[in-house]
């Protein structure tokens, strides 16, 4: 993800998404199941308010299943339709069509009553960078990579990808920015790899991650790094991990960058198991 979201870019991205919205019946909003609020665009509700929407909690395979359930209840209580998804393996994909039909039922019934022949549901995938948009499009389109071609009268050359007989997807997703000006959101996005480590300080990201693990998954932290007790202070915690994993500089000093890289790499490759970085009811 190399995009820097300057105000001009934000306005352009928003304009592009608004243009795409005119073409479709339903929005599939992809969020990261590990941080479903931090991985949403702060203005998304306002931007897509004109269209029905399904929230897809993607990368659910990497999230804590208990907490994913809480998120599903959370969205349900808000009257929003949400599904857990693993776009990489395809788990959850087959739920998308039935839910889309349910969400669009009124509209589809109305058209049917008018005698309009049903056509494919047109959908747009939308989400922040790295949330899995391309993976989902490729997955959905796998048997039907043939594109239906440009539609006349559409100025921007949009291509449609058929998903079975009943869905057509815009082949370019809508990309919107996350709420990264909030520091805590930034750390969560960095830990999950949604934004590059170079945007925030590597050691700061790791301090956030270790404190998070200490509070939420202490047993996993102990087990992974062979700790009998978790030191209360962050520096001794770094030092213990560094000692156990040999993240030392010549002369026996702890190499904090190397320790940070190790911890973040292990979190991202699920060495500490499936983790969720926020749960409903917490402030973000
Ligand atoms: N474990 C897991 N990984 C996923 C899933 N979906 C996507 N990924 C991985 O997440 C990374 C980003 O996926 P992309 O499909 O490129 O994301 P994108 O939203 O298109 O990204 P941009 O092009 O930056 O906007 C890739 O390494 C994918 O393999 C999922 O459900 N589970």
């Amino acid at each position: 993800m190399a995009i820097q979201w300057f105000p001009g870019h934000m306005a352009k991205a928003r304009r592009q998404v608004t243009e795409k919205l005119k073409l479709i019946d339903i929005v599939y909003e992809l969020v990261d199941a590990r941080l479903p609020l931090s991985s949403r665009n702060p203005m998304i509700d306002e931007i897509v308010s004109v269209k029905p929407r399904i929230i897809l909690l993607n990368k659910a395979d990497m999230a804590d299943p208990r907490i994913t359930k809480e998120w599903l209840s959370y969205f349900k209580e808000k009257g929003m339709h949400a599904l857990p998804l693993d776009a990489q393996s395809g788990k959850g994909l087959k739920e998308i069509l039935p839910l889309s039909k349910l969400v669009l039922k009124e509209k589809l019934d109305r058209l049917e009553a008018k005698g309009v022949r049903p056509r494919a549901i047109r959908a747009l995938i939308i989400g922040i960078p790295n949330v899995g948009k391309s993976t989902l499009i490729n997955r959905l389109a796998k048997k039907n990579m043939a594109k239906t071609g440009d539609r006349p009268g559409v100025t921007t050359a949009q291509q449609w990808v058929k998903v079975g007989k009943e869905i057509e997807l815009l082949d370019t997703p809508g990309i919107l920015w996350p709420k990264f000006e909030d520091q805590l959101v930034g750390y969560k996005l960095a830990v999950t790899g949604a934004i590059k480590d170079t945007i925030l300080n590597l050691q700061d990201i790791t301090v956030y991650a270790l404190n998070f693990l200490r509070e939420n998954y202490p047993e996993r932290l102990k087990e992974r790094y062979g700790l009998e007790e978790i030191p209360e202070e962050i520096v001794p915690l770094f030092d213990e991990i560094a000692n156990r994993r040999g993240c030392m500089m010549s002369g026996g000093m702890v190499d904090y960058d190397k320790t940070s890289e190790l911890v973040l790499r292990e979190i991202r490759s699920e060495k500490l198991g499936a983790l969720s970085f926020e749960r409903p009811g917490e402030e973000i």
Side-chain angles (χ1 to χ4, degrees), residues 58-59 61-62 86-88 128-135 175:
N58 195 37
K59 306 195 186 183
D61 55 308
M62 301 179 88
D86 170 1
Q88 189 141 277
I128 67 166
N130 206 45
V131 74
K133 299 179 297 299
S134 308
T135 308
I175 307 178

Side-chain angles (χ1 to χ4, degrees), residues 20-36:
K20 288 172 196 275
L21 286 177
K22 292 182 189 155
L23 307 172
I24 52 105
D25 303 305
I26 189 164
V27 172
Y28 298 149
E29 183 196 347
L30 243 66
V31 301
D32 189 318
R34 296 168 293 176
L35 53 161

Side-chain angles (χ1 to χ4, degrees), residues 38-277:
S38 294
S39 59
R40 298 184 85 196
N41 174 276
M43 290 192 289
I44 188 80
D45 292 333
E46 178 197 327
I47 294 171
V48 306
S49 64
V50 288
K51 293 287 172 179
R53 181 172 23 147
I54 295 176
I55 295 172
L56 299 171
L57 299 163
N58 195 37
K59 306 195 186 183
D61 55 308
M62 301 179 88
D64 188 329
R66 278 177 312 129
I67 298 181
T68 300
K69 274 196 190 142
E70 292 179 18
W71 282 113
L72 290 171
S73 311
Y74 167 91
F75 285 114
K76 196 171 176 184
E77 274 167 28
K78 290 196 172 295
M80 300 167 94
H81 302 276
L83 281 178
L85 187 71
D86 170 1
Q88 189 141 277
S89 77
K91 198 162 175 240
L93 280 192
K94 59 179 190 311
E95 314 297 331
I96 295 178
L97 177 63
L99 186 57
S100 304
K101 283 184 168 171
L102 184 76
V103 171
L104 291 171
K105 191 171 182 316
E106 252 181 52
K107 182 176 172 177
L108 295 174
D109 286 351
R110 221 171 33 238
L111 289 174
E112 201 187 322
K114 279 196 211 157
V116 178
R117 205 156 54 93
R119 59 158 172 78
I121 293 171
R122 293 188 189 137
L124 169 68
I125 289 174
I126 204 171
I128 67 166
N130 206 45
V131 74
K133 299 179 297 299
S134 308
T135 308
L136 178 59
I137 292 174
N138 290 333
R139 263 275 157 198
L140 284 171
K142 73 173 189 305
K143 286 191 200 114
N144 260 308
M145 277 312 283
K147 289 172 182 168
T148 56
D150 293 359
R151 281 179 194 277
V154 178
T155 43
T156 46
Q158 300 287 353
Q159 303 269 316
W160 297 88
V161 184
K162 286 197 167 194
V163 183
K165 286 200 178 90
E166 295 182 277
I167 300 182
E168 285 180 355
L169 271 185
L170 271 184
D171 76 337
T172 49
I175 307 178
L176 286 169
W177 61 99
K179 192 184 168 188
F180 53 78
E181 64 275 18
D182 177 317
Q183 202 171 38
L184 181 57
V185 171
Y187 288 138
K188 292 179 186 177
L189 290 167
V191 172
T192 54
I195 60 174
K196 277 191 187 161
D197 289 340
T198 46
I199 294 177
L200 294 169
N201 177 290
L202 188 69
Q203 291 177 22
D204 289 348
I205 302 168
T206 313
V207 168
Y208 158 76
L210 288 174
N211 280 328
F212 169 83
L213 289 169
R214 179 216 309 274
E215 279 159 34
N216 295 281
Y217 298 94
E219 293 311 315
R220 296 196 204 174
L221 184 60
K222 281 190 201 164
E223 194 187 325
R224 182 72 199 162
Y225 298 110
L227 311 170
E228 272 178 29
E229 287 304 322
I230 303 174
E232 300 241 331
E233 300 287 327
I234 194 73
V235 174
L237 176 54
F238 261 91
D239 291 350
E240 274 215 42
I241 295 173
N243 269 307
R244 283 171 194 275
R245 293 306 188 84
C247 299
M248 311 303 279
M249 296 193 278
S250 53
M253 303 270 283
V254 167
D255 187 333
Y256 291 106
D257 273 345
K258 198 170 166 188
T259 315
S260 299
E261 280 162 13
L262 174 113
V263 169
L264 293 177
R265 193 169 56 242
E266 296 201 339
I267 290 174
R268 290 174 190 153
S269 57
E270 294 178 88
K271 296 288 189 303
L272 287 107
L275 301 170
S276 290
F277 292 91

